[in-house]
Amino acid sequence: MHSASVLPQPSANLARAIAQFAHGLRHQDLPDAVKRKSQHHIVDAIGLAFASRHFPFAAPGLAGFRAAGAPGASTVIGSAEGLQPRDAALSNGYLIHGLDFDDTHPGSIVHPTVACLPAALAVGESAGATWGELLAAYAAGMETAIRIGRAVKGGFHHTGFHATGIVSHFSSAVIAGKLLGLSVDQIVAAQGIAASTASGVQVFLETGAWTKRMHPGWGALAGITAAQLAQAGFHGPDRPYEGKFALFDTHMQERAGQVDPESVLLGLGQDWTLLDTSIKPYPVCHFIHGCAEAALSLRAQLPDPDRIERIVCELPEATLPIVAEPPSAKRIPRSDYEAKFSAHFVVAACLARGRFTLLELEDASLADPQILALAAKVDCVKQADTSFPKYFSGAVTVHKTDGGRVHHHIPMNLGSGERALDLDDILAKFRGNTALVLSESRTQQVLDALLSARPDTPVREIARALA
């Protein structure tokens, strides 16, 4: 029997407020900072999509999506063969999120660009939208994804769900609805329909399975479907977030009382939460970034890693089940994906090599005896001094065999707040990623298309440059 809901009720219908905001938003309404930030994050995401094609997970996933889907004119990044919009969005979401190197909004703990860009590209291209219209839809989707994630205060993760896999259904429905020209009522219905598809369980953490990679793209596929159903007159629930048996109740369960639905409405259209989104400097779970940076800072004081006796990593308590437990599994990751979610491995690799790049996720690195020996010496504990989830803080203490110790604390991770990556950093990351699969001249062609796009540039023209 369903117990009485403890969810606080907002002052207005959330789906309708989001629909009204998205429906009325125009490119010229976006602040310059939002336009600039959106461009930077889209560039970062496209570079990651190309880079994913270098890794073994890409081909099987794309082959399966193509076999289950249908040929069409919508672009799959890095492919000469198009698919129907829903299948292209699924494929591009898989590629953008495949390396877990994509942006994160710390307060909501979601990857917002991959929850928005796949649907925006696919529907924008197929609907004949302009780049300015795509950016407006993308911004509306970003606010949707971030605000839903922020309202639960990290709670989706605590109940076993991958938050990005949840919010991407709703943000994609809003984006598709806007680009398809739906009415406010239809965008409300699209969100209601999306509530019946929103999922993404975290069981992948047990074995490093590939399912997390497909969650945001699946959300894009479902969100586009929801918008098209609403356009055709399909009746959807009108309170998909705060209603009885709706998202916050079903997915948060006994934690529903901790949800802040009113925060979804707060400053909507004036306060742009997407501006707080962080671009990753390291290709691992964002929860580990503070410790990774701390370890890299200590590396110069540890010229001989063999003389390390013990390593203590301090992480925010809420992150420990994801990146530090069980220690026996985290110390010996069996795949690149398990390594991305292992504070033990990442910190050990940083101390052994003085860097953490995609190369540290290759099979040879996973079997490196020096890294594994250091990982065996890592213990992870709760960090007392942290501003998580605003920032992904971390601290590392290294105890040496001679009795000495060194310590470093990172209160604000690189890429967040005043330490946000600038355009030069983002372009360097882009070039490093695309170099895995593209020539320098081809990389420059893609960058030129993205950086020179005007509000009236057709999305199809940009998409052709990505194929």
Side-chain angles (χ1 to χ4, degrees):
M1 177 177 290
H2 185 262
S3 58
S5 175
V6 295
L7 177 74
Q9 287 298 301
S11 60
N13 181 302
L14 300 186
R16 182 159 295 277
I18 290 169
Q20 291 171 335
F21 159 67
H23 184 267
L25 186 64
R26 301 169 301 169
H27 178 262
Q28 53 264 43
D29 299 328
L30 300 175
D32 288 342
V34 170
K35 295 176 185 176
R36 185 168 53 253
K37 182 80 166 172
S38 298
Q39 180 196 51
H40 291 180
H41 285 253
I42 290 171
V43 167
D44 181 59
I46 297 299
L48 293 168
F50 278 110
S52 284
R53 287 184 167 275
H54 173 73
F55 293 88
F57 67 84
L62 294 175
F65 302 151
R66 185 170 294 278
S74 292
T75 298
V76 176
I77 297 168
S79 174
E81 300 174 343
L83 292 172
Q84 290 297 313
R86 298 189 313 168
D87 302 318
L90 170 59
S91 300
N92 288 331
Y94 184 68
L95 291 171
I96 292 169
H97 194 52
L99 295 170
D100 218 283
F101 204 0
D102 49 320
D103 62 17
T104 308
H105 184 273
S108 61
I109 317 180
V110 300
H111 299 270
T113 290
V114 76
C116 298
L117 185 58
L121 276 175
V123 179
E125 183 180 11
S126 64
T130 65
W131 192 248
E133 289 168 337
L134 179 145
L135 288 179
Y138 167 86
M142 291 284 280
E143 291 302 306
T144 301
I146 291 167
R147 288 167 179 271
I148 295 170
R150 186 181 66 175
V152 304
K153 305 172 186 176
F156 289 144
H157 291 93
H158 300 321
T159 53
F161 289 104
H162 173 210
T164 307
I166 300 294
V167 302
S168 57
H169 293 246
F170 300 99
S171 54
S172 297
V174 169
I175 287 167
K178 180 170 179 58
L179 290 172
L180 291 171
L182 270 57
S183 68
V184 169
D185 286 344
Q186 288 172 321
I187 297 176
V188 171
Q191 293 172 81
I193 297 165
S196 284
T197 61
S199 186
V201 293
Q202 294 199 111
V203 68
F204 62 84
L205 289 169
E206 286 190 348
T207 60
W210 294 359
T211 46
K212 181 178 184 287
R213 293 180 163 113
M214 65 171 278
H215 288 170
W218 194 260
L221 182 152
I224 294 170
T225 304
Q228 290 172 326
L229 284 168
Q231 186 179 43
F234 193 97
H235 181 57
D238 61 2
R239 292 206 308 149
Y241 304 109
E242 72 272 23
K244 183 178 181 181
F245 303 131
L247 178 75
F248 291 145
D249 253 346
T250 58
H251 287 56
M252 289 293 289
Q253 297 288 320
E254 70 274 7
R255 290 182 169 88
Q258 301 169 18
V259 178
D260 183 9
E262 191 68 24
S263 67
V264 176
L265 304 171
L266 193 63
L268 183 62
Q270 287 82 45
D271 299 332
W272 294 90
T273 61
L274 70 83
L275 293 174
D276 297 324
T277 306
S278 301
I279 290 179
K280 285 185 175 183
Y282 312 116
V284 300
C285 177
H286 234 140
F287 293 164
I288 306 173
H289 278 220
C291 283
E293 188 180 351
L296 291 172
S297 298
L298 292 174
R299 180 65 176 80
Q301 302 175 51
L302 300 163
D304 186 358
D306 291 336
R307 296 187 178 183
I308 293 174
E309 183 175 20
R310 183 176 179 236
I311 305 159
V312 178
C313 298
E314 299 173 46
L315 296 124
E317 183 176 17
T319 72
L320 292 174
I322 295 173
V323 300
E325 299 171 1
S328 58
K330 296 297 184 182
R331 290 182 177 124
I332 310 175
R334 293 165 291 179
S335 68
D336 63 323
Y337 220 62
E338 285 194 10
K340 287 172 179 289
F341 288 86
S342 166
H344 302 72
F345 180 85
V346 171
V347 167
C350 289
L351 292 173
R353 297 189 175 179
R355 66 175 193 242
F356 203 99
T357 69
L358 290 171
L359 293 175
E360 276 59 63
L361 296 169
E362 299 277 7
D363 288 346
S365 297
L366 299 183
D368 186 320
Q370 184 181 48
I371 295 176
L372 293 177
L374 288 174
K377 300 176 181 180
V378 173
D379 291 310
C380 295
V381 299
K382 179 181 79 172
Q383 185 179 28
D385 181 15
T386 179
S387 56
F388 178 85
K390 184 176 183 180
Y391 303 119
F392 297 126
S393 60
V396 173
T397 303
V398 176
H399 299 264
K400 299 187 285 186
T401 55
D402 63 6
R405 62 188 287 274
V406 290
H407 172 84
H408 198 76
H409 171 223
I410 300 293
M412 178 192 295
N413 58 292
L414 180 62
S416 288
E418 63 191 39
R419 302 188 69 206
L421 303 186
D422 61 22
L423 181 57
D424 287 342
D425 296 325
I426 295 164
L427 294 181
K429 177 183 172 182
F430 180 94
R431 290 190 172 97
N433 286 330
T434 57
L436 295 172
V437 293
L438 299 180
S439 66
E440 288 186 23
S441 61
R442 182 73 181 94
T443 290
Q444 193 58 49
Q445 287 176 352
V446 174
L447 273 179
D448 288 344
L450 293 170
L451 297 177
S452 66
R454 304 178 307 275
D456 61 350
T457 301
V459 173
R460 289 171 183 164
E461 183 177 315
I462 306 298
R464 280 197 299 270
L466 308 181

